Amino acid sequence: MSGGIEVVRHARARCMRLAVDPRDGRIRLTLPPRASLKKGLAWAEAQSGWIAAQQARLPEMRPLAPGAYFPLAGREIEIVSAPSAPRTPKLESDRLICGGPREGLERRVERWLRAEALRVLSAETAEYAARAGVIVTRVSVGDPRGRWGSCASSGAIRYSWRLILAPDFVRRATVAHEVAHRIHMNHSPVFHRLVAELYEADPGPAREWLRRNGSSLHWVGRQGLPA
């Protein structure tokens, strides 16, 4: 990282490329292996107008603060601060009641979301694993930028906790996709047929939803652009 610009050298790059990552707003400069770093940074800094225009098109930041709303399984949930209520957030209809002091509320809400994601994704993974006749050794959640889920040869499946923010059909299609990897560790036609069989529907609309809207999920809980 240099001056707020992440510099990446790529062996197959033939020219300098500049991009603004829609998932977190990072500015990335890709350089050929032997290109001058100084010239590359000077060129990138000269593109300030283009960078500003790209940043203006980024998804809306959605901090997990009192009075704010966040998506949950296709619904909009309001965060309500209630200092006298228990510190552990509790979902009541379309309101998440958050007790305890104002300080640290955002962290408590995110912990609640991660726990809810693990609970729901574990149950749905078990459901699809039983349907497929396979064993999943472990289910966990993290916050990767590049994948919504991954399946290891050991049988462990790891998901992005942010899937809990997406509509049900998107999350369930992703679970079916990862469980299907317990049988086919590839993306062959037979793999995709198995995904559709487990999901009992065409997973295409779910993939399209993530393609169009997935980057916005990375802005839930974000309060500013990277320094």
Side-chain angles (χ1 to χ4, degrees):
M1 186 76 71
S2 178
I5 298 176
E6 181 180 355
V7 179
V8 178
R9 290 193 181 273
H10 197 290
R12 289 181 291 181
R14 295 291 178 266
C15 60
M16 295 185 289
R17 295 196 305 272
L18 197 61
V20 176
D21 194 324
R23 296 165 298 185
D24 58 15
R26 291 184 183 277
I27 305 166
R28 184 172 295 109
L29 171 64
T30 302
L31 296 175
R34 298 182 181 179
S36 165
L37 175 60
K38 183 178 180 180
K39 289 182 178 179
L41 289 173
W43 173 75
E45 290 167 3
Q47 310 304 313
S48 59
W50 179 86
I51 292 172
Q54 295 302 305
Q55 289 179 329
R57 297 169 57 187
L58 291 170
E60 177 188 3
M61 295 179 197
R62 305 190 69 171
L64 298 172
Y69 288 79
F70 65 88
L72 180 70
R75 298 153 54 198
E76 285 291 313
I77 306 298
E78 181 185 7
I79 298 173
V80 177
S81 178
S84 61
R87 289 175 65 96
T88 300
K90 181 179 180 181
L91 186 63
E92 295 183 358
S93 186
D94 289 338
R95 303 165 79 225
L96 187 67
I97 309 301
C98 305
R102 170 64 182 88
E103 181 182 358
L105 183 144
E106 288 85 354
R107 291 192 299 274
R108 297 198 297 278
V109 173
E110 183 173 323
R111 282 198 300 268
W112 182 87
L113 283 167
R114 285 174 177 263
E116 183 69 3
L118 182 59
R119 181 186 70 80
V120 172
L121 289 163
S122 294
E124 292 177 344
T125 299
E127 174 190 341
Y128 283 124
R131 190 175 297 174
V134 298
I135 294 175
V136 174
T137 58
R138 183 170 182 262
V139 175
S140 61
V141 297
D143 195 13
R145 286 197 298 163
R147 291 185 175 185
W148 296 107
S150 60
C151 179
S153 57
S154 64
I157 294 179
R158 185 171 178 82
Y159 299 102
S160 167
W161 71 263
R162 296 177 185 276
L163 283 170
I164 198 66
L165 308 173
D168 290 343
F169 78 96
V170 174
R171 185 189 66 249
R172 289 182 65 86
T174 305
V175 173
H177 182 106
E178 298 307 328
V179 170
H181 276 313
R182 292 294 295 118
I183 297 177
H184 304 290
M185 291 294 283
N186 54 50
H187 289 100
S188 62
V190 67
F191 164 80
H192 288 295
R193 285 196 296 271
L194 178 58
V195 174
E197 181 182 333
L198 294 175
Y199 180 53
E200 297 183 319
D202 177 10
R207 290 195 300 269
E208 179 63 15
W209 191 97
L210 281 174
R211 189 184 73 79
R212 291 180 177 275
N213 305 288
S215 61
S216 67
L217 303 184
H218 289 279
W219 291 83
V220 173
R222 189 176 298 281
Q223 300 185 60
L225 290 171

